[in-house]
Amino acid sequence: VYQVFTYILGFAMVFRVNLAYNRWWEGRFWVEQMSSKWFDSCQQSIAFDFHSEVSEVDHWEFRVRITGLYSLLHREAIRELGHVTDTPWLRHHLDSSSWYDEMQRRELKDGVTQCCEWIYVMLSGRFRNHAVKPPILSRMYQELSNGLLGFHNAVMVKTTPFPFPFAQLMSLTMTLLMVTFPVVACKYVRDVSGAMFFTWVSTFGYFMMAELAIEMEQPFGDDDTDL
C-alpha cells in the first residue's frame, strides 16, 4: 500500500513540475512577443517617417520622441510584471516633454495604457496625411496591439494562481510522506544510520521537486530565476 502511495505521489509531483515548467515558458513567450512586437512597431514608424515631407530636424525630433515613448512603454510593462523599478530606458529622449512627469503622478495607475494612448495619438497626428497608404500604415497599430496582447497574456500568467486544491493536496501528501517514511524505512532497514540516510535522500528528492515547482509557478518577480 505504501509503495502505491509513493508511486502516486511521484506521478503527481512530476505532473505538477511539468505544469509549472510550461507555465514558466508561457510567461517567457508572452514577454518576448510583447517586446518584439513593440520594437517592430517602433521600427516601422521610423521607416514610414522617412517619407514625410518635413525638415531633417523634424525627422530627428520625431524619432527621438517615438523611441522614448516606446522605451517608456516597455519599462512600464516590465515594472508592472516584475515590480522592477530600475529598468533602464531612454529617459533622456523625453526630457523636453511632460509625458514622464505625468507618468509619475500618483493618480495615474496604469502606465502601460497611458503610454499606448500617447503613442496612438502621436502616430495618428504624424501620419494623418501621408505618402504611405493607410493599409500599410495600419501595420504599426497592429503590431502595437499584438504587443499589448502579449503583455496582457503575461499579466494573466502572473495574476492567475496555481489551483489551490491541487497545491493543498500536494502539501498534505508531502507532510504525510515526511511523517510516515521514517517509520517504513526503520522497518525495512535494520541499521539506524542506513534508515536515516535513505529517509533523507528520499524525502529530499520529493521536497526538492516540490520547491522547484513552486519556484517556476510564478515566473515574474525580482528573484534571480524570475523573468
Side-chain angles (χ1 to χ4, degrees), residues 7 10 22 36 40 47 57 75 83 125 129 146 162 169 183 221 227:
Y7 281 162
N22 292 334
S36 62
D40 194 16
V57 175
R75 182 252 191 185
H83 302 287
N129 297 314
N146 289 337
F162 197 80
L169 180 62
V183 178
L227 298 176

Side-chain angles (χ1 to χ4, degrees), residues 9 15 24 34 42 47 60 70 74 82 95 104 113 151 181:
L9 178 59
F15 181 69
W24 192 90
M34 174 193 75
C42 182
W60 181 83
Y70 274 101
H74 189 268
D95 280 341
Q104 303 307 308
T113 302
F151 166 73
F181 198 93

